[in-house]
């Protein structure tokens, strides 16, 4: 079974600085997707970024980028120029693309990030 | 933008009551999901549906059932609520089964006394 682990329950960063959130996962699959979702306080969860495992290039969305290390099964999220609006809980998620449980997201425990002014 | 709405933001029920949580999406998405979110455990999938009248168990279906009579609506039912079902419940929908891009509702915080 696949598992996703976020070992940092809470983190903080000063506004305008850079922060990296860690995520590791366990799978025997070769093809899968990885995601970071963001859940702001009292607001709906939204997708931040997606990485396809077959792509070597790290995904980037504006100030958000990932460091995908397939062999190490590591998938970290880097937030550059942190803004107060980045304060949220961040979830790492895994999805396999074939076989049983295809299409289901498996989430990590979450990391609460606070951006300080 | 996709809009996913849930019938209640906060709900308080008594042990043994039958509880209905409703979710509606307005973008004609095929796929709908129910999760529960607990501190330190992240999100866990309860049930999901890939089509009207179709349902599949997720990772923690015990004590829950679902209904999808119309494409836009997915209901979660707690047949006999128990205190260990106190949690945040999130509904989500997606257009495609295999892209992982899910759109979430605001959540229902359910307390069972």
């Amino acid at each position: 079974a696949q598992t996703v682990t976020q070992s940092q329950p809470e983190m903080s960063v000063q506004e305008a600085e850079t922060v990296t959130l860690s995520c590791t996962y366990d799978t025997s699959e070769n093809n899968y997707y990885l995601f970071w979702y963001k859940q702001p306080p009292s607001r709906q969860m939204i997708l931040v970024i997606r990485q396809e495992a077959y792509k070597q290039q790290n995904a980037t969305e504006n100030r958000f980028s990932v460091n995908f290390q397939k062999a190490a099964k590591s998938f970290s999220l880097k937030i550059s120029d942190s803004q107060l609006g980045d304060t949220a809980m961040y979830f790492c998620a895994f999805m396999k693309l074939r076989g049983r449980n295809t299409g289901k997201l498996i989430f990590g425990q979450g990391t609460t990030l606070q951006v300080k002014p | 933008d996709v809009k996913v709405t849930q019938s209640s933001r906060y709900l308080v029920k008594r042990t043994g009551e039958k509880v209905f949580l409703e979710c509606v999406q307005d973008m004609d998405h095929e796929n709908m999901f129910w999760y529960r979110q607990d501190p330190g455990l992240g999100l866990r999938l309860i049930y999901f549906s890939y089509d009207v009248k179709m349902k599949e168990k997720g990772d923690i279906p015990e004590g829950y059932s679902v209904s999808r009579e119309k494409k836009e609506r997915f209901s979660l039912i707690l047949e006999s609520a128990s205190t260990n079902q106190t949690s945040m419940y999130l509904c989500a929908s997606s257009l495609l089964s295999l892209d992982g891009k899910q759109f979430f509702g605001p959540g229902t915080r359910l307390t069972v006394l």
Side-chain angles (χ1 to χ4, degrees):
Chain A
Q2 289 75 30
T3 59
V4 178
T5 301
Q6 295 177 249
S7 58
Q8 305 154 312
E10 296 180 353
M11 296 186 71
S12 64
V13 63
Q14 292 296 133
E15 197 175 6
E17 294 189 348
T18 296
V19 64
T20 299
L21 280 59
S22 301
C23 173
T24 58
Y25 59 95
D26 186 24
T27 185
S28 57
E29 299 290 322
N30 192 46
N31 289 319
Y32 49 87
Y33 290 163
L34 294 164
F35 307 83
W36 281 98
Y37 275 85
K38 169 186 177 182
Q39 186 180 41
S42 301
R43 292 178 60 189
Q44 289 165 245
M45 180 141 23
I46 58 172
L47 175 65
V48 176
I49 201 164
R50 184 181 81 173
Q51 175 77 43
E52 292 88 347
Y54 62 85
K55 289 186 177 179
Q56 292 187 341
Q57 186 173 6
N58 289 323
T60 299
E61 288 287 343
N62 301 313
R63 298 182 295 107
F64 297 86
S65 61
V66 299
N67 183 6
F68 173 47
Q69 302 289 330
K70 191 172 184 179
K73 297 179 183 174
S74 170
F75 183 61
S76 60
L77 176 70
K78 185 173 82 170
I79 306 174
S80 304
D81 185 25
S82 297
Q83 300 176 359
L84 296 178
D86 295 333
T87 291
M89 180 168 279
Y90 289 82
F91 291 95
C92 178
F94 169 97
M95 188 181 84
K96 61 187 288 190
L97 299 177
R98 65 180 183 89
R100 192 171 178 270
N101 297 326
T102 294
K104 288 168 54 178
L105 289 176
I106 299 170
F107 286 88
Q109 302 90 335
T111 296
T112 299
L113 175 68
Q114 182 169 13
V115 179
K116 299 180 177 180
Chain B
D1 283 349
V2 176
K3 192 167 185 181
V4 181
T5 57
Q6 295 183 229
S7 50
S8 304
R9 198 66 192 266
Y10 299 94
L11 207 54
V12 180
K13 295 292 181 180
R14 297 269 178 204
T15 300
E17 280 193 78
K18 191 169 186 176
V19 182
F20 292 87
L21 302 182
E22 305 285 339
C23 175
V24 177
Q25 50 92 5
D26 67 355
M27 285 300 290
D28 203 34
H29 283 179
E30 300 288 340
N31 313 292
M32 297 188 75
F33 307 84
W34 274 108
Y35 297 91
R36 65 176 282 175
Q37 180 180 358
D38 299 290
L41 296 178
L43 277 72
R44 292 178 291 167
L45 183 64
I46 305 171
Y47 267 98
F48 60 105
S49 170
Y50 286 144
D51 201 353
V52 175
K53 296 190 185 296
M54 178 275 185
K55 60 186 178 184
E56 287 196 30
K57 293 180 179 180
D59 299 316
I60 52 165
E62 296 77 19
Y64 303 95
S65 62
V66 290
S67 172
R68 193 168 181 200
E69 296 296 319
K70 293 184 178 182
K71 191 175 186 179
E72 67 270 18
R73 187 180 298 270
F74 192 35
S75 303
L76 180 69
I77 304 157
L78 287 66
E79 295 289 344
S80 178
S82 63
T83 55
N84 63 13
Q85 292 178 311
T86 291
S87 186
M88 171 71 87
Y89 290 87
L90 296 177
C91 175
S93 71
S94 70
L95 178 61
L96 301 174
S97 300
L98 292 182
D99 72 354
K101 295 180 180 179
Q102 295 186 11
F103 295 84
F104 284 81
T108 295
R109 186 166 294 281
L110 172 67
T111 301
V112 183
L113 302 175

